[in-house]
Amino acid sequence: GENVEQHPSTLSVQEGDSAVIKCTYSDSASNYFPWYKQELGKRPQLIIDIRSNVGEKKDQRIAVTLNKTAKHFSLHITETQPEDSAVYFCAASLRGNNRLAFGKGNQVVVIP
Amino acid sequence: DAMVIQNPRYQVTQFGKPVTLSCSQTLNHNVMYWYQQKSSQAPKLLFHYYDKDFNNEADTPDNFQSRRPNTSFCFLDIRSPGLGDAAMYLCATSRVPGSGANVLTFGAGSRLTVL
């Protein structure tokens, strides 16, 4: 089955700097790659996603890049702010049906 | 404007005492999912309904059951909770087919404590 791994597991950045989280996946049939943000005690919320027919997608300070050949995709957050502090989960679609496999999450701490 | 509503938000039960968690949605999404999330871990899919079709994950214990009486509601039944079942249980929905396929909308979760 699909195996999704995230690196690093924790990331601390100074406010205003950029943060990058990388995910790798194993199933070449995966074609949808979302990123979810989960603040402490709250539900996961979709922040950006990308499908396999594009290599990059940007939404204000957030971008996602996809390398299908290498089977990895990355979340880029620019000009980080304290409210960006959260756990970020990547996910990849599973072959054949409507399911996602999640990575273990990455704790991002933005230091004011 | 909550669109995926879970009840109760917090549930305390005794070892072996059955519990039922509920999820309702106002999105008219045809797919509903139940995830288990333990502290500092990824959400783990237990099962999902595609319309009325039930899809169990291979490693979901028999102790976990689900019901979907209509489009709007889905229930998670834990027949005999063990200490290892203490977790946050997340309900999510999506709409397929179409551009929304695999885009999950999560509820706020139900946190289960087993004494």
Side-chain angles (χ1 to χ4, degrees), chain B residues 1-19:
Chain B
D1 61 342
M3 296 177 289
V4 181
I5 303 165
Q6 293 189 239
N7 283 297
R9 293 291 312 280
Y10 301 92
Q11 175 73 59
V12 180
T13 190
Q14 292 180 328
F15 184 96
K17 187 173 181 182
V19 296

Side-chain angles (χ1 to χ4, degrees), chain B residues 85-112:
Chain B
D85 297 327
M88 176 74 84
Y89 290 88
L90 293 164
C91 174
T93 70
S94 71
R95 177 178 53 81
V96 293
S99 60
N102 285 323
V103 178
L104 301 183
T105 301
F106 282 92
S110 292
R111 182 166 294 283
L112 177 67

Side-chain angles (χ1 to χ4, degrees), chain A residues 32 36 38 43 51 98-99 103, chain B residues 33 37 42 50 57 101 104:
Chain A
Y32 173 68
Y36 284 83
Q38 188 174 28
R43 74 191 75 192
R51 297 195 184 267
N98 312 297
R99 301 177 298 150
Chain B
Y33 308 80
Q37 187 179 26
Y50 188 139
E57 294 301 300
L104 301 183

Side-chain angles (χ1 to χ4, degrees), chain B residues 1-78:
Chain B
D1 61 342
M3 296 177 289
V4 181
I5 303 165
Q6 293 189 239
N7 283 297
R9 293 291 312 280
Y10 301 92
Q11 175 73 59
V12 180
T13 190
Q14 292 180 328
F15 184 96
K17 187 173 181 182
V19 296
T20 294
L21 307 177
S22 76
C23 178
S24 64
Q25 53 125 343
T26 59
L27 298 163
N28 203 31
H29 283 176
N30 56 340
V31 188
M32 295 186 78
Y33 308 80
W34 279 105
Y35 284 86
Q36 178 193 64
Q37 187 179 26
K38 296 186 177 181
S39 182
S40 303
Q41 295 185 21
K44 177 181 181 298
L45 183 63
L46 297 174
F47 25 59
H48 75 281
Y49 275 94
Y50 188 139
D51 294 322
K52 294 183 179 180
D53 293 333
F54 177 71
N55 299 272
N56 199 31
E57 294 301 300
D59 57 354
T60 298
D62 292 341
N63 197 27
F64 293 88
Q65 303 285 320
S66 186
R67 296 170 283 135
R68 189 179 186 186
N70 54 53
T71 300
S72 301
F73 282 87
C74 195
F75 298 96
L76 171 62
D77 301 307
I78 309 176

Side-chain angles (χ1 to χ4, degrees), chain A residues 23 28 56 85 107:
Chain A
C23 269
S28 56
E56 183 174 359
S85 296
Q107 176 75 59

